[in-house]
Each structure stands twice: as C-alpha cells, then as structure tokens.
Amino acid sequence: MSEIEWLAAGLGVINVIFVVRRSIWNFPFALAMVALYFFVFFEAKLYSDALLQIFFFVINGFGWWAWSRAPVVDDGVEVEGMGTTARINWLIGTATASVIWGWGMATFTDAAAPFLDAGVAGMSIAAQILQSLRRFEAWILWVAVDILAIGLYASRGLIVTGGLYALFLILAVAGLIAWYRKLSPKVVPA
C-alpha cells in the first residue's frame, strides 16, 4: 500500500496548497486523495478515518459546487468568519459527536485508537464543512487535527501519512494566516 499512500499524500499536498490560495482547483485533487486514502486507512484498521474519506468525497463535491458560486476577491473565493455563539455551538457539537463515535468504535470494532481516531475524524468533519462554507475557523480545527493526526498515524506505521500531516500542519498555519488577511468584514451568525 505504500505506493497508494505516497500518491494520496502527494495529491493531498497539492490540494491543501490550492485551499490556502482559496482556489477552486483544490477540489479535483481532494476527490482523488480521499478516494485513495479510504483504502490506506481501512488496511491500517483506522476505520473512523476510512469512513471519513467517504464523507470527505461527498462534502468536497458540495464544496466544489458552493465555491463555484462564491464571490471572488483577489483571485480567490471570499472567506468569512463566524460569531461567538456559532463557534461555541460548533465546538460542543464536534466534541459530543467525537466522544459518541469513539465510544462506538471502542465498543463495536477492533479499532486501534478509537477515541483519538474519532477525535481526528470529528474535528475533520467539522473543519471540512466549515471550509466548504468558506469559514475562517476551519483552519483552527485543521491545526488541531494535524497535531493529533501526526502521532496517531505514526503510531500505526503510516509514516508517510504522519509526515504528510506534519506538512499539513505547516500549510494549515499558512492557511490560517492567509485566510485571516482576506477575511470579509461581515461575520456569519449561527
């Protein structure tokens, strides 16, 4: 599987670079990457992450559609921020869903790291939805996901993917800064 993991990682780097630049061209690379990562994670018994790739495929299709209709500012899609109430609601919802998913994985599967894997999956879902909606806060979640994922994937022998997430961490910080600089003055409520 190492060739597939390498190809998926390469596609992931290209994808995130395009997202940082607010380019709609991130989506074809994202779709190919997540399709390959489904198989990588399934073989590593990281079932939450494998299932997450199916979700990512669907939400990237939605994101492609949504970004194609978004206003363009400085050669990239316009980005917006959320209000405090919306941020709190997303945080509580993400934490609750992650704990419930982790419990299910611990109870009903032979998952290698059920709660950590579920946390990465839950925050990734929230981050991907927010990214598809062009919300700045997605990058805060991506930074947290990347920090947790580096250790998780390395512990399962997915060294290339752990390294990819180290690179993703650097790109997520760059995305956080870049999107903050382009943040629309309007704030989206809940």
Side-chain angles (χ1 to χ4, degrees):
M1 277 296 223
S2 64
E3 295 85 16
I4 293 175
E5 186 181 1
W6 275 103
L7 180 57
L11 292 168
V13 170
I14 295 167
N15 165 243
V16 176
I17 289 170
F18 278 127
V19 175
V20 169
R21 299 171 82 186
R22 303 176 350 268
S23 170
I24 196 167
W25 289 105
N26 79 83
F27 291 106
F29 294 97
L31 292 169
M33 174 190 65
V34 301
L36 293 175
Y37 262 121
F38 172 83
F39 298 104
V40 171
F41 291 135
F42 190 81
E43 185 171 293
K45 292 188 176 185
L46 293 173
Y47 303 128
S48 293
D49 280 317
L51 291 172
L52 181 61
Q53 303 315 300
I54 297 169
F55 167 79
F56 278 159
F57 196 87
V58 172
I59 198 67
N60 274 295
F62 166 75
W64 199 346
W65 174 84
W67 280 37
S68 71
R69 286 153 178 73
V72 175
V73 179
D74 299 328
D75 296 325
V77 295
E78 180 181 55
V79 295
E80 301 169 335
M82 299 186 307
T84 304
T85 302
R87 288 178 182 158
I88 291 169
N89 289 339
W90 274 92
L91 181 64
I92 291 170
T94 301
T96 302
S98 296
V99 168
I100 292 169
W101 187 259
W103 175 84
M105 286 289 148
T107 304
F108 300 112
T109 74
D110 64 342
F115 288 97
L116 182 55
D117 193 22
V120 168
M123 287 191 296
S124 295
I125 288 170
Q128 189 65 53
I129 292 169
L130 292 173
Q131 182 179 304
S132 294
L133 296 172
R134 304 177 341 274
R135 300 298 183 264
F136 161 77
E137 291 79 4
W139 288 111
I140 297 167
L141 284 173
W142 283 129
V143 168
V145 164
D146 296 339
I147 290 169
L148 293 174
I150 291 166
L152 174 63
Y153 299 146
S155 75
R156 296 302 300 157
L158 299 173
I159 303 305
V160 172
T161 302
L164 172 66
Y165 275 77
L167 179 56
F168 279 172
L169 177 57
I170 294 166
L171 291 171
V173 171
L176 184 70
I177 293 166
W179 280 35
Y180 180 76
R181 290 181 178 157
K182 298 296 182 181
L183 195 57
S184 170
K186 61 184 171 186
V187 172
V188 179

